[in-house]
Amino acid sequence: MAYEEAKQRFRGSIAPVITPFNEDESIDFEKFKELINWQIHSGSHGISVTGTSGEPSSMSIDERIEVMETACKTVNGRVPFLPGTGSTNHQETLRMTKAAQEMGADGAMVIVPYYNKPNQHALYKHFKAIADSVDIPIILYNIPGRTAINLEAITISRLAEDCPNIIGVKESNKDFEHVNKVLLHCGRNFNLYSGIEVLCYPMLAIGGAGHISATANIAPREVAEIYNKWEAGDVKGAQALHYEMMPLNDVLFRDTNPAPAKAALGMMGKVKPILRKPLDVPSEEIQAEIRETLTSYQLIKEDISAN
């Protein structure tokens, strides 16, 4: 029954917090803790780290676990904490998912292995082994644009049936027909989260549990409010906010995530806009567009000196 309770608790906007770095590319843990506190104070319903927005593939396993532990202590049970524990390497995924359980995380989000392109049966065996290794809830993470393979709805359904602790999936999948089939095959008690910004509102309309949106790094209150309005029955309010957020969503994906988000947070004075190689900051043209968009949303003040 604990997993059924988790399905109810793990709802809303789960913010996928970026990992801030210092000039020497070491992790800036103080800024990291500040970001987590800001997210919670701004109304985010949950916190996730070391997912795509957190640049996990640029960190060592020990660094990822340290980031997870720091986040877990900072969250301190105020909202659900769901770190990303997936890797292209099965043994690394096992190690990090077990570490998440040991540190007291509320659950773990496990990405489809990237680069390897396993078939559906291999994906089933991979995720079942991960789920069987822990007692905490597992959220699958399907992002075909990064992994080059889609976790099919039938495979998700099979995993949900065979593994009681697999309670949901984050779908960073623009195929809206696919995400509808996930709930068709898994049942609407299965937690479906949007990882595509423009689909955050539409996924709620088909029975989604919330969203895990990179835009929450920049506008946590507004991203959370889309869910709040929908949950309160304010359909028109949620719909209006959905369209209001679209220009910000668009500009944050002019370059590879999380480069635009880090540039935006730098302009907002939250972090140094530093990424680890091979990623780099967006072009000056994109940065100018980001600045103009942030100004239009009153997230930063207009730079009069530039006029």
Side-chain angles (χ1 to χ4, degrees), residues 117-128:
K117 295 183 72 174
N119 62 36
Q120 294 300 305
H121 183 62
L123 285 171
Y124 171 85
K125 291 173 66 177
H126 168 73
F127 283 116
K128 187 175 189 305

Side-chain angles (χ1 to χ4, degrees), residues 19-38:
T19 306
F21 297 121
N22 295 303
E23 296 287 352
D24 62 0
E25 295 188 10
S26 62
I27 299 166
D28 188 339
F29 284 103
E30 290 308 309
K31 287 294 183 184
F32 183 57
K33 289 184 279 189
E34 287 176 13
L35 288 175
I36 291 171
N37 285 323
W38 176 56

Side-chain angles (χ1 to χ4, degrees), residues 215-285:
T215 302
N217 278 293
I218 311 305
R221 191 174 304 280
E222 290 79 4
V223 174
E225 195 62 17
I226 292 174
Y227 176 84
N228 292 339
K229 287 182 180 297
W230 173 264
E231 189 68 8
D234 183 5
V235 176
K236 288 191 178 296
Q239 188 180 76
L241 192 51
H242 162 72
Y243 286 107
E244 181 183 322
M245 296 301 292
M246 283 181 68
L248 181 60
N249 291 334
D250 288 345
V251 80
L252 291 176
F253 286 86
R254 289 285 189 264
D255 198 348
T256 303
N257 180 46
K262 280 197 162 181
L265 286 169
M267 295 171 193
M268 294 166 67
K270 297 287 186 184
V271 300
K272 298 182 182 73
I274 297 168
L275 297 98
R276 280 189 176 175
K277 299 176 184 64
L279 294 179
D280 200 1
V281 295
S283 67
E284 290 185 8
E285 181 181 4

Side-chain angles (χ1 to χ4, degrees), residues 29 55 103 145 265 286:
F29 284 103
E55 298 174 70
M103 70 181 64
L265 286 169
I286 292 174

Side-chain angles (χ1 to χ4, degrees), residues 109 112 139-144 150-153 156 168-175 178-183 190-197 199-200 203 210-212:
M109 185 171 63
V112 169
I139 305 295
L140 307 173
Y141 181 11
N142 189 28
I143 180 168
N150 185 49
L151 184 62
E152 300 293 344
I156 298 172
V169 61
K170 174 185 177 181
E171 283 286 355
S172 292
N173 195 327
K174 293 183 178 180
D175 184 348
H178 163 83
V179 297
N180 277 267
K181 287 182 177 178
V182 169
L183 289 185
F190 192 70
N191 281 25
L192 173 69
Y193 304 91
S194 177
I196 298 291
E197 280 59 32
L199 294 183
C200 289
M203 281 204 199
H211 30 264
I212 306 173

